[in-house]
DNA sequence: CAAATCCCCTGCAGGC
DNA sequence: TGCCTGCAGGGGATTT
């Protein structure tokens, strides 16, 4: 489940596979919700273009092309970018870009098809991007405090709201709340400024550790070369319901918050 | 506007 | 062995 660290690890790994290369062919599966821009249009717009840079905005990857247009990629739950040098296309490979230099293709594979592809004309934007809050790597306690104070929802729900901050998903939200010793079910507006400071530091810390470990490989995340991340080995609470808390030994509790499973230590987190 | 709910989709684990 | 059910969850759409 790609969150900011996994998307950033992917971006770094795939930059060399995209930037500076001229697209010569675009192969896709049939039209579906995966394609916000129809396959036919994608093909027409991308062929002949040179990729100039690849950025990450929250959990989105944004490739800028030499005509000023942009290609948005979102990995959803199970999206993977692969080099054709590491894996052959299969039934779940929905987009394949080939290049003029005849080097490896870029494969976008997504078993569950929660991922998205969209082409943006020059100067055009996308509400998905426009609404994103500040990047989670630069989040401050002050911003969290100002955002949380108006919300009655659980703080965990607010952390997952990409309009508040962009990049945090279920795994890193649970881990950051543990580091900050804040219970995920707490009403957001009940958090003090001090707690928001701790939470902001916790978020940045788990995201940086996640990137350093190459991301969390639970079921689906792989790097484009086929390698996997190892941050799952450092998870303190995520996915550990029933196991002892690494800090105090109390059994970790698992609850549902907004249909998402959430794990926390009832003793350490208040 | 905020919050709650449903839904998209498919692989996999667990139960029988 | 094989079938069925439930679960995983990012995020958009819809409803309250």
């Amino acid at each position: 489940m790609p969150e900011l660290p996994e998307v950033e690890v992917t971006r770094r790994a795939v930059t060399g596979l995209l930037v500076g290369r001229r697209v010569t062919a675009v192969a896709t599966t049939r039209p579906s919700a995966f394609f916000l821009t129809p396959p036919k249009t994608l093909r027409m717009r991308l062929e002949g273009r040179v990729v100039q840079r690849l950025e990450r905005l929250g959990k989105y990857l944004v490739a800028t092309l030499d005509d000023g247009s942009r290609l948005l990629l979102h990995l959803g739950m199970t999206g993977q970018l692969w080099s054709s040098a590491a894996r052959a296309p299969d039934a779940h490979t929905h987009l394949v870009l080939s290049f003029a230099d005849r080097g490896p293709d870029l494969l976008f594979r997504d078993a569950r098809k929660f991922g998205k592809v969209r082409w943006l004309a020059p100067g055009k934007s996308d509400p998905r991007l426009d609404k994103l809050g500040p990047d989670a790597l630069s989040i401050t306690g002050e911003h969290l405090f100002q955002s949380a104070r108006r919300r009655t929802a659980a703080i965990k729900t607010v952390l997952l709201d990409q309009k508040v901050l962009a990049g945090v998903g279920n795994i890193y939200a649970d881990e950051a709340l543990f580091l900050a010793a804040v219970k995920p079910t707490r009403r957001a507006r009940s958090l003090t400024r001090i707690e928001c400071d701790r939470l902001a530091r916790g978020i940045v810390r788990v995201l940086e550790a996640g990137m350093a470990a190459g991301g969390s490989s639970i079921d689906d995340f792989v790097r484009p070369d086929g390698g996997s991340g190892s941050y799952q080995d450092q998870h303190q609470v995520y996915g550990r319901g029933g196991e002892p808390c690494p800090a105090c030994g109390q059994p970790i509790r698992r609850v549902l918050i907004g249909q998402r499973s959430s794990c926390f230590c009832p003793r350490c987190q208040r």
Side-chain angles (χ1 to χ4, degrees):
Chain A
M1 37 220 78
E3 304 181 26
L4 186 151
E6 291 74 30
V7 176
E8 179 61 22
V9 166
T10 299
R11 187 193 67 80
R12 291 174 190 173
V14 89
T15 291
L17 205 52
L18 268 177
V19 175
R21 302 182 78 196
R22 185 180 300 277
V23 177
T24 50
V26 179
T28 71
T29 48
R30 57 180 54 256
S32 69
F34 181 85
F35 295 104
L36 296 176
T37 299
K40 202 174 161 184
T41 310
L42 271 184
R43 200 173 313 127
M44 191 170 66
R45 299 299 188 178
L46 297 182
E47 285 178 359
R49 300 277 62 78
V50 176
V51 181
Q52 291 190 318
R53 61 176 186 274
L54 182 65
E55 300 164 288
R56 179 189 58 75
L57 293 178
K59 300 176 195 174
Y60 287 88
L61 288 174
V62 183
T64 302
L65 309 175
D66 60 348
D67 62 354
S69 67
R70 293 181 293 171
L71 181 67
L72 307 192
L73 305 175
H74 193 289
L75 300 178
M77 281 288 302
T78 52
Q80 307 168 333
L81 297 181
W82 288 87
S83 163
S84 62
R87 185 193 240 278
D90 62 6
H92 295 307
T93 305
H94 300 293
L95 178 67
V96 178
L97 301 184
S98 303
F99 302 91
D101 57 25
R102 295 168 154 260
D105 296 340
L106 176 76
L107 277 48
F108 190 167
R109 184 175 184 275
D110 186 359
R112 223 126 106 206
K113 287 170 74 176
F114 281 10
K116 296 280 180 283
V117 177
R118 180 171 191 185
W119 177 83
L120 284 181
K124 291 283 185 185
S125 195
D126 182 308
R128 293 168 178 78
L129 295 185
D130 296 340
K131 289 180 192 161
L132 290 178
D135 195 80
L137 282 175
S138 57
I139 197 65
T140 63
E142 172 65 14
H143 178 77
L144 279 185
F145 184 64
Q146 292 304 331
S147 304
R149 64 186 301 182
R150 290 177 267 110
R151 304 281 296 262
T152 59
I155 183 62
K156 166 103 182 255
T157 301
V158 174
L159 293 185
L160 295 179
D161 185 344
Q162 304 299 300
K163 297 189 287 301
V164 172
L165 73 167
V168 173
N170 208 34
I171 297 174
Y172 293 92
D174 275 8
E175 294 297 310
L177 285 160
F178 176 76
L179 283 192
V182 172
K183 194 182 298 193
T185 52
R186 279 268 301 280
R187 276 175 183 266
R189 68 179 178 193
S190 77
L191 266 67
T192 63
R193 176 57 205 270
I194 300 291
E195 288 174 318
C196 288
D197 286 344
R198 286 211 308 266
L199 197 44
R201 284 197 299 273
I203 288 167
V204 173
R205 190 168 147 200
V206 296
L207 295 177
E208 289 184 342
M211 288 190 288
S216 300
S217 294
I218 304 285
D219 302 309
D220 303 294
F221 176 67
V222 288
R223 295 197 303 262
D225 63 2
S228 53
S230 66
Y231 192 62
Q232 66 278 7
D233 300 338
Q234 295 177 54
H235 292 171
Q236 308 288 297
V237 290
Y238 177 81
R240 296 191 183 279
E243 295 179 31
C245 166
C248 78
Q250 185 87 359
I252 292 168
R253 189 173 299 163
R254 178 181 176 276
V255 298
L256 283 183
I257 300 174
Q259 329 285 47
R260 261 75 178 162
S261 79
S262 304
C263 294
F264 67 98
C265 172
R267 181 183 287 174
C268 295
Q269 294 172 256
R270 301 288 172 169

